[in-house]
Amino acid sequence: MPFIKIYIHIVFSTRNRIPYLNTSELRVKVWKHIKENASKKNIYLDMVNGYSDHCHCLISLSSNQNIEKVVQLMKGESSFWINKNQLTKEKFAWQDEYFAVSVSESMVESVKSYIKNQEIHHKKKSFEDEYLEFIEKYNFK
């Protein structure tokens, strides 16, 4: 059995950044569901949180997983579940694109804290500003 610990910080937004997840009660439901579904699919989701128009996840990949498939499973199933349960007024969808960056073991607690404090963070900074910071910080072109 291989011993693997590869942490990835994933961020994905709602389609067209529409603030579908506009109440903290709705967000709690959605994050809880994403966490439960990930567990059923053997995805180690350490932390999930976000704001009205996006989601942050900290996952650890196992030897038989890849980022694209894990993100597809989390986004696809959660949007299906949100629509099936009519949790939003309009049809819900996640945007196709996403960010994924590796996280060193020494930074895991810092990233978890950042994800945990999304509500507070986004009272001061928009997702658009956060998005631009990610592009610059991680040198995405």
Side-chain angles (χ1 to χ4, degrees):
M1 175 177 111
F3 294 96
I4 297 172
K5 195 184 279 188
I6 301 172
Y7 284 101
I8 308 290
H9 180 186
I10 299 168
V11 183
F12 47 91
S13 72
T14 58
R15 175 139 317 132
N16 299 320
R17 297 190 190 139
I18 296 170
Y20 291 115
L21 309 173
N22 54 10
T23 67
S24 68
E25 294 81 20
L26 176 56
R27 288 191 289 275
V28 167
K29 274 186 195 175
V30 172
W31 310 148
K32 183 176 185 246
H33 178 77
I34 289 173
K35 180 95 170 160
E36 290 169 353
N37 181 63
S39 180
K40 288 177 190 170
K41 295 194 170 22
N42 296 316
I43 298 167
Y44 179 70
L45 177 56
D46 192 308
M47 176 74 67
V48 59
N49 200 3
Y51 204 57
S52 60
D53 59 354
H54 69 286
C55 179
H56 289 259
C57 298
L58 179 64
I59 64 164
S60 181
L61 292 175
S62 66
S63 63
N64 64 343
Q65 293 175 322
N66 68 59
I67 296 166
E68 182 179 14
K69 187 65 174 170
V70 167
V71 172
Q72 178 187 36
L73 288 169
M74 290 191 305
K75 287 173 32 179
E77 196 285 334
S78 62
S79 62
F80 174 80
W81 179 81
I82 290 166
N83 288 318
K84 182 180 86 170
N85 290 286
Q86 300 177 336
L87 299 180
T88 58
K89 291 177 184 166
E90 301 172 49
K91 185 174 186 226
F92 180 87
W94 295 111
Q95 197 149 302
D96 291 338
E97 295 81 20
Y98 59 91
F99 286 109
V101 294
S102 60
V103 178
S104 68
E105 185 74 31
S106 64
M107 292 302 293
V108 166
E109 290 306 315
S110 175
V111 172
K112 285 167 72 169
S113 176
Y114 178 77
I115 292 172
K116 180 181 178 186
N117 292 306
Q118 284 294 294
E119 297 278 336
I120 296 164
H121 175 74
H122 286 293
K123 288 186 193 269
K124 300 177 215 162
K125 184 180 290 187
S126 70
F127 178 60
E128 179 67 25
D129 290 340
E130 183 180 51
Y131 172 88
L132 294 172
E133 281 181 12
F134 261 73
I135 288 174
E136 188 173 321
K137 180 177 182 178
Y138 297 107
N139 204 24
F140 288 114
K141 300 286 183 211

